[in-house]
Amino acid sequence: MNIKLFNTMSRKVETFKPIKQGEVSIYTCGPTVYHFAHIGNLRTYVSQDIMKRMFLANGYKVLHIMNITDVGHLTSDADDGEDKMEKGSLREGKSVWDIASFYTNQFLMDVKDLNILPPTKYTPATSYIKEQIELVQQLESLGFTYEIKDDGIYYDTSKFKDYGKLGGQSLDELKGGARVAFSSGKRNITDFALWKFSPKNQKRQMEWDSPWGVGFPGWHIECSAMCLKEIGDRLDIHSGGVDHIKIHHTNEIAQVEPVINHNWVNYWVHMEFLNDLSGKMSKSKGDFLTLSLLKDKGYSPIVYRYFLLLASYRTQLNFSFELLDGAKKSYENIIKKVADIIMNANDAFDDDVYLSWKNRILEAVSDDLNTPLAIVILQELLKSNVNFSIKFKLIEFFDDVLGLQFIENANALLNIEVPENIKNLAELRWQAKLDKDYQKADLLKKEIIDAGFNVEDKKDSYEIKKL
Ligand code: AMP
Ligand code: ZN
């Protein structure tokens, strides 16, 4: 199948050509583990998961590396401000190492809940300090670095003639576009830290020895060093959210290409944002939505995944609970129809019919991950007079490429047995509501949700549902 992806570097949808026949290497920028991932971050990982599933469905062998940023980098892109990990440590009264391990585990749970296929390997930045130092040394020996006293080792962006090519800006444009005066001895506004010194007279929780003194790596160097180590100096796809185009990925190219002396990445694939009512969802705004919050409100993570796939990964998507409710209804309708298919899938199979539908589905996702079209094809299939056995096989294929667990949830619907204790909790909750003890009712509802069920109130009764 012809695979097409939008390449940020060329700003065009291109036909994918792998470096090695039948194989694809993918590096995706992972989470910074100082807080929960918000549902916007998770949109990016779901979009990347669709890309990976699309390659698998096309028969590719996938090598996928994802970093875990467990070293604190600084809250501003200008290499100053607070360290995110230390900030998390202060906020919660735990060590930075405990913060990193707690939020890494939370992230892994989100990944599982959203049915995202785990990468071939997660690479925590703290396990690759040696490689990061060695890359900075190589840049130093090539004359790309300079030191700012009591601050750190910086990359001189004026030395790299292609600087800014990914974001489509030349260094002069970048300089002209800078709004704030820059301080602290940087030679160019776009220069960035490769190694930061620990403050004098203060021991940081995370710091390492280096040829330049005790300190910690800059943010951008980690992905470059880990990618070179785990994949090598030629990479099919490097991916992240669109916010990474102008700074993080631009700086990554600047760190790698002078060292390897040739083009590094063939396709740069960037995922668009999820917005809330006030604009781009971000952790620094304080108030943000997490997957556990959606679960507490009675939405299963797979419904959120379905909501995301209704839009193309290249368009911004607005989040609202009304839209999520719409997605939930539609997903539940699909599950009911799939349950019906499971019950009746015993008629004769026809390969030709099966393959023609399968190709349409594969063609949709291979065309720059067109998941909205794949879902239109699914609705068409459900309405069609294709027989149940073929429909069943095609739904299995949909599960492979979209990861929406249609068969699993339809089976759960068919086997639904509400355990006695859940029935009791639901009854107690209903009583609490009638007694207007809403606090108790909410606590009971949470208990029911934690056990994998939910209660939905009707006019004079309630219904127990499996999440
Ligand atoms: P972070 O943990 O902040 O490094 O972000 C993890 C990933 O989420 C990165 O690839 C970001 O580009 C991406 N990201 C950040 N904010 C959003 C958002 N509102 N919507 C979608 N992706 C985002
Ligand atoms: Zn990265």
Side-chain angles (χ1 to χ4, degrees), residues 27-30 67 69 219-220 222-224 238-239 244 248-249 252:
Y27 184 94
T28 54
C29 291
N67 65 300
T69 300
W219 167 34
H220 315 296
E222 71 178 66
C223 288
S224 302
H238 197 128
S239 173
H244 285 346
H248 182 49
H249 288 162
E252 279 202 57

Side-chain angles (χ1 to χ4, degrees), residues 67-215:
N67 65 300
I68 303 273
T69 300
D70 55 354
V71 179
H73 48 75
L74 303 171
T75 41
S76 93
D77 278 325
D79 296 312
D80 51 22
E82 290 167 289
D83 174 319
K84 288 180 178 175
M85 297 296 296
E86 300 262 350
K87 199 173 154 197
S89 157
L90 273 177
R91 185 183 66 232
E92 297 180 26
K94 293 183 189 162
S95 77
V96 284
W97 297 96
D98 286 345
I99 290 285
S101 113
F102 177 80
Y103 287 111
T104 301
N105 284 332
Q106 293 297 316
F107 173 71
L108 297 180
M109 283 197 264
D110 288 347
V111 163
K112 189 160 182 288
D113 278 349
L114 285 166
N115 199 25
I116 292 172
L117 301 172
T120 317
K121 187 170 180 182
Y122 285 112
T123 55
T126 49
S127 306
Y128 292 78
I129 300 295
K130 183 172 137 286
E131 287 78 4
Q132 296 175 59
I133 291 175
E134 282 167 5
L135 185 55
V136 179
Q137 281 179 304
Q138 280 179 291
L139 289 165
E140 186 178 43
S141 67
L142 291 168
F144 280 79
T145 66
Y146 61 95
E147 177 171 339
I148 300 180
K149 199 170 169 328
D150 297 331
D151 181 337
I153 305 296
Y154 278 75
Y155 184 101
D156 184 344
T157 50
S158 68
K159 297 267 163 72
F160 182 48
K161 70 172 177 23
D162 285 340
Y163 190 81
K165 66 178 173 180
L166 183 66
Q169 284 171 295
S170 69
L171 193 59
D172 283 345
E173 281 166 336
L174 286 165
K175 277 183 194 157
R179 273 165 292 143
V180 281
F182 64 101
S183 56
S184 71
K186 276 194 202 179
R187 292 182 188 164
N188 311 284
I189 185 97
T190 43
D191 291 359
F192 56 93
L194 295 163
W195 186 263
K196 292 280 281 186
F197 302 139
S198 289
K200 286 211 167 101
N201 315 320
Q202 188 199 324
K203 186 155 172 44
R204 283 171 49 86
Q205 294 184 57
M206 271 186 187
E207 56 183 16
W208 294 267
D209 276 334
S210 82
W212 313 279
V214 175

Side-chain angles (χ1 to χ4, degrees), residues 289-455:
L289 291 170
T290 60
L291 197 63
S292 16
L293 192 116
L294 295 192
K295 278 162 70 178
D296 286 348
K297 286 182 179 286
Y299 298 96
S300 96
I302 280 306
V303 163
Y304 178 59
R305 185 179 169 106
Y306 176 73
F307 161 79
L308 294 178
L309 300 190
L310 293 170
S312 154
Y313 80 98
R314 270 176 58 212
T315 56
Q316 294 196 4
L317 176 61
N318 293 329
F319 178 84
S320 76
F321 282 102
E322 290 72 34
L323 291 171
L324 190 60
D325 282 333
K328 185 173 180 224
K329 256 206 180 120
S330 157
Y331 183 81
E332 285 171 354
N333 275 334
I334 295 171
I335 293 301
K336 278 184 205 142
K337 290 181 185 150
V338 174
D340 196 36
I341 292 170
I342 293 174
M343 294 299 288
N344 294 291
N346 42 25
D347 30 22
F349 199 77
D350 179 333
D351 274 338
D352 290 345
V353 178
Y354 169 72
L355 285 176
S356 73
W357 280 87
K358 186 181 167 190
N359 272 337
R360 278 185 69 198
I361 302 161
L362 192 56
E363 210 174 308
V365 284
S366 304
D367 184 7
D368 204 19
L369 315 180
N370 195 342
T371 53
L373 177 60
I375 291 172
V376 168
I377 297 172
L378 168 70
Q379 299 288 7
E380 207 184 299
L381 173 73
L382 292 173
K383 278 192 212 122
S384 74
N385 57 8
V386 170
N387 83 30
F388 287 113
S389 294
I390 299 171
K391 276 186 182 165
F392 179 79
K393 269 265 162 238
L394 288 165
I395 303 286
E396 279 187 328
F397 184 62
F398 270 113
D399 273 345
D400 289 343
V401 288
L402 300 182
L404 287 169
Q405 299 177 326
F406 292 133
I407 303 276
E408 192 177 322
N409 285 322
N411 271 327
L413 184 71
L414 290 169
N415 299 326
I416 196 158
E417 274 269 337
V418 182
E420 249 352 270
N421 67 320
I422 302 290
K423 286 187 193 156
N424 289 340
L425 286 172
E427 191 50 37
L428 286 172
R429 174 185 167 273
W430 185 249
Q431 272 311 321
K433 268 194 82 171
L434 294 180
D435 299 343
K436 298 204 173 5
D437 186 349
Y438 297 114
Q439 207 178 352
K440 185 173 171 194
D442 283 349
L443 281 174
L444 286 161
K445 179 161 178 164
K446 186 164 178 341
E447 223 177 299
I448 295 168
I449 287 170
D450 287 346
F453 288 84
N454 194 15
V455 268

